[in-house]
Amino acid sequence: MNFVEIIARKRDGLELSPAEIRTFVQGASNGHVGDEQLAAMLMAICIRGANQAETQVLVEAMRDSGSRWRMGEAFPDAVDKHSTGGVGDTVSLVFAPLVASCGVPVVMMAGAGLGHTQGTLDKLAAIPGFRPAARHAQATDLLATCGVCFAAQSDEIAPADKKLYLIRDLTGTVPSLPLIVASIMSKKLAVGANRLILDVKCGSGAFFKTPPAARELAEALMEVARRAGVEVRALVTDMSQPLGDRLGCASEVRAALEVLAGGGDSRLRELTLDLAVEALALAGRAPEAARAELERKLSDGGASGAYEAMVRAHGGDPDVEALPRPRASVSVTAPRAGFVSAVDAEGLGWIAVAIGAGRRRQGDEIDLAAGVKLHVRIGDLLAEGQPLLTLELGDREVDVEEMRARAAAAFAITERAPSPAPLIAARLGGPS
Ligand code: URA
């Protein structure tokens, strides 16, 4: 069948056959289907959806688009972690060395920025020399050397996700349950760890903004994991405001280093600890003892040491002074007094993209120095003129006044104090 006919069937809301889905995925990885047709198909799926059977075939076809590393065979205790995408979500950079410092190996196929979110691979690119694994032998060496492997989609592993991820980023086709499930689970299953922790974001900075939608996504991801025999736990977590107080590549690496050294942003620290406790619990540790050990590693230098070992093993320079620095900063202040009652985290994510921390079109270089530093949180009482955030500018040309206006508009300021959402909205898949 001509690929235009397959696009038209999904456009008209029909169910695709397994063969049609495989044609789409193979066409994405071998280049036989052009970008415009891939984009049209992604938009059709985004609007029309896909049922569970179609989604399962999509996951498996994308998983099999490259080789399967089966890391769980050589490293049965290794755990993988994935977030569904958020703003100021620096967890992976802390989680990986922290969990490894407690003796549990971490293998993570990370992603680049998607839509308004900043991706772990882009943040790691801010560390001079850092190279994620693209080949099985590199991944095995990294796990054996430092207990952490950050990997990236490549022509060897998850090539279909590599291609579709890039197109989704630039075509507004990210917030689709089947596409997110297929993107995340295909690469998780291709890497093949036996254990998986999912951080499913919910709120203004997430792709799924309401608790029922986030829960549905969590359950769909977990169902695919369980069918593949992967032990899985998920936390549905607050993204009604950025998680940490920094957005942007080098800026988020600095934020991670602060937490690893025992300080840093309290929400970033707390969520990372919660996810790390789940990871150690999957490895058979008692949760209270696991939390105590993780906290000790943050305060006694063990986690920072694991970060240094991890960065050196990946070819990078762990010195904080080696990170790119912004060339200018712009302060944005509160237009009136009152309580911060809501934050448009997605809006802040798009501002970060606009000033250089994300891609707007194919071939865009990320400005590793560009970022945002937040000074307030939901619930804070502000005086007029108090700083809300600082824009950290790199080399990209930006309209500073437009950015200032957009940034100020991302904060709702009211007379009444709001009640901030809890950091963890739900825990799924733990012991019953
Ligand atoms: N993370 C991914 O890897 N893919 C998505 O679609 C969303 C988050």
Side-chain angles (χ1 to χ4, degrees), residues 333-390:
T333 55
R336 62 185 164 280
F339 289 96
V340 179
S341 59
V343 176
D344 174 6
E346 176 169 347
L348 292 177
W350 284 122
I351 290 168
V353 171
I355 65 176
R359 298 174 185 79
R360 299 157 304 173
R361 59 183 79 87
Q362 211 155 0
D364 254 2
E365 286 279 322
I366 300 263
D367 190 330
L368 300 167
V372 175
K373 175 144 178 39
L374 294 170
H375 304 301
V376 299
R377 290 287 185 194
I378 291 179
D380 286 356
L381 178 58
L382 304 180
E384 186 182 332
Q386 188 172 327
L388 294 169
L389 57 77
T390 303

Side-chain angles (χ1 to χ4, degrees), residues 168-184:
R168 288 169 64 219
D169 182 32
L170 302 172
T171 53
T173 51
V174 179
S176 148
L177 184 142
L179 294 180
I180 294 178
V181 170
S183 166
I184 293 178

Side-chain angles (χ1 to χ4, degrees), residues 82-85 114 161 165 168 174 179-180 183-184 187 207:
H82 208 83
S83 149
T84 56
L114 206 48
D161 185 53
Y165 198 94
R168 288 169 64 219
V174 179
L179 294 180
I180 294 178
S183 166
I184 293 178
K187 51 187 180 270
F207 294 118

Side-chain angles (χ1 to χ4, degrees), residues 255-267:
L257 285 169
E258 289 167 13
V259 176
L260 285 164
D265 181 81
S266 61
R267 283 166 44 94

Side-chain angles (χ1 to χ4, degrees), residues 142 145-146 148 308-316:
L142 283 166
T145 315
C146 69
V148 177
E308 284 191 28
M310 169 188 97
V311 170
R312 286 194 209 286
H314 286 77

